[in-house]
Amino acid sequence: MATPATVIITFDKDPGVMNIIRKGSFGSINEIRKKFRRKRSDEELVFDVGRMKRDLLKHMLVVCGNVGDENIARYEMKAKELQADFIIEKGRSWVLTQKTVRNTYDPRYHKGVLLIGTNKELPATQISYDGSFAFTDWFIQDLDGDGIPDFPFGRIFGPPETVLYHMDPYIVDSDIAIVFDSQPERSNTHVNALAKLGFDVEVLHRYTEDDAKLLSVSEFILQFSDGVFTVRIHGTPDKWATHNSVIITHLQASAIKFEGYPVVFSEACSTAQEGPLLKAFLNSGASYIGATLDTMNNLEPFDDWRRCAYCDGWKFGFLDLLDTHELIGEVKLGVDRTLAENIDSKVFDELESIRKGETTELKSDNAVSVVEWMLFGNPLRRTTVGPNADFTPGRIAVDT
C-alpha cells in the first residue's frame, strides 16, 4: 500500500511567500510561487558521479562522418579505448549512412548507434513543413524498410572535447528533475508524473543565475509548451521564450557546467536545428531531445498516447517508457516505433514518400509530430528515473 502523502508548508522571509512541498511515496514536488523556490544548502547539492559502465559502452556502434582526419583519428582512438565498433562514413546521403549501419549493426550485440557529425558532416534526411526546412534521423533507423524504426540511436557534434565527452560521459545520481513551465499554476500533470517516476521535482518559471548549481546536478530537465498560446513557452534555435519573457538563452545555457549528463527534453518548436541553444547544452555536458520543426498540440483528447501523433503524445510516451527501458536510446526508439505503428494509413503513406525520396515535404501535423524529434547525445545513457519509478499516463487532455 502506498505511503499516504504529506504536505509541508514553509515560509520564506516574506510571510506572504509560500513554498509547498508535497511528498508522497515516490518523489517530491516543489511548486514555485512568486518565483521563489526551496533553498538547498551546498551539502544538499553534492551527489555521486561516475563513468558509464565499460561493459555497456563496448556495445555501442560509432558512425563518424566527414569531420576531418585529425578528429576522426581522435574519435577512433576513443572508441578503441571503449572497445566499441567504429565506422567512418563520408557519403553525402542519409541513404548511404543507413546502408552502412545496416551492413554493420548487429542487434544481438549492439545496443545503440552514435552518429558523429552535423547534418552536413553526416547527412540526415531532409524534411520540410509549411515553408520551413529541417532534417531528421528518424528514417535512418528503419533498417528493414518497413517504415518502422529498428534501433536506438543518438547524434553528437561539436568541438573534439564535446564529442569525446559524449562518447564517455559522467553520470550523476541526484534524482532531481527540473521543469520549466511558464504557467505552472494551470496543471500539475507533468510534475506529478515526474514525482511518480521517483524524482524530486523543481518547477521554474525561467532561468536565473541562482539556479545554475541546481541545474548542474540535475538528471532530467524538461521544458513544456502547454497552455494559452500567448503565454506558453515557444522555441527558436537560440532560446526558449514566451511572447514577453525569456526563459533561457544559449548564453545562459553555455554558462552551466553539468556534472552528470542530464537529459534535456524541449517541447518547443525548432530548438533541435543545430543552433546556438542546442550547441550550448551539448558543449556544457547535457544530452538533448528536441524537435527540428514546429511542434503541434492535439486539439482533441486521446485515451492513449500511442494514438496521439502530436507533441503531447510524444512527450507522454517518453515519460511512460522511462520506467520500461534501461537506456535513453531505447526509450526514444520505443516512442518512435509505437507512434509509427499506430498512425493513420494516409500519414504512413506520407512518410513512405519521404523515405523513398519522392519528396521532402510533410503535409500533415501527425507526420511532422512523428518524425521531427532528435536525440543529441549518447543513446546508451541509462534511463533517467528515481527510486520506485512507476508512471502510466492516462487520458491525454487538450491543453492549449
Side-chain angles (χ1 to χ4, degrees), residues 37-71:
R37 64 173 174 78
R38 179 167 66 92
K39 301 296 183 181
R40 298 171 186 254
S41 67
D42 291 341
E43 291 76 15
E44 288 183 291
L45 294 176
V46 176
F47 301 96
D48 292 335
V49 177
R51 289 286 192 185
M52 290 178 63
K53 294 181 179 179
R54 292 305 189 268
D55 285 346
L56 176 61
L57 285 174
K58 71 180 182 181
H59 293 284
M60 179 171 60
L61 173 61
V62 182
V63 180
C64 186
N66 191 18
V67 298
D69 293 342
E70 184 176 341
N71 287 336

Side-chain angles (χ1 to χ4, degrees), residues 217-232:
V217 297
S218 62
E219 285 190 41
F220 207 11
I221 300 171
L222 299 96
Q223 173 271 307
F224 294 118
S225 296
D226 293 326
V228 181
F229 181 82
T230 55
V231 183
R232 68 174 180 246

Side-chain angles (χ1 to χ4, degrees), residues 314-352:
W314 208 97
K315 73 184 179 188
F316 278 111
F318 190 78
L319 292 174
D320 185 19
L321 298 185
L322 280 176
D323 58 3
T324 304
H325 300 285
E326 294 182 359
L327 308 176
I328 284 296
E330 293 174 341
V331 175
K332 183 182 184 299
L333 174 65
V335 181
D336 288 342
R337 284 185 60 88
T338 300
L339 290 178
E341 290 169 345
N342 287 281
I343 54 176
D344 183 89
S345 60
K346 291 183 179 179
V347 179
F348 188 88
D349 291 342
E350 189 176 339
L351 299 183
E352 280 293 281

Side-chain angles (χ1 to χ4, degrees), residues 228-293:
V228 181
F229 181 82
T230 55
V231 183
R232 68 174 180 246
I233 299 174
H234 301 275
T236 70
D238 65 347
K239 63 180 178 293
W240 301 336
T242 66
H243 279 255
N244 56 15
S245 178
V246 172
I247 304 302
I248 191 169
T249 68
H250 68 279
L251 293 176
Q252 291 171 323
S254 66
I256 305 169
K257 301 305 176 186
F258 296 104
E259 295 182 14
Y261 208 50
V263 174
V264 179
F265 171 80
S266 172
E267 186 180 6
C269 303
S270 307
T271 66
Q273 285 193 7
E274 297 182 351
L277 182 65
L278 172 61
K279 292 176 183 178
F281 275 114
L282 296 181
N283 291 339
S284 293
S287 59
Y288 193 95
I289 296 174
T292 56
L293 286 170

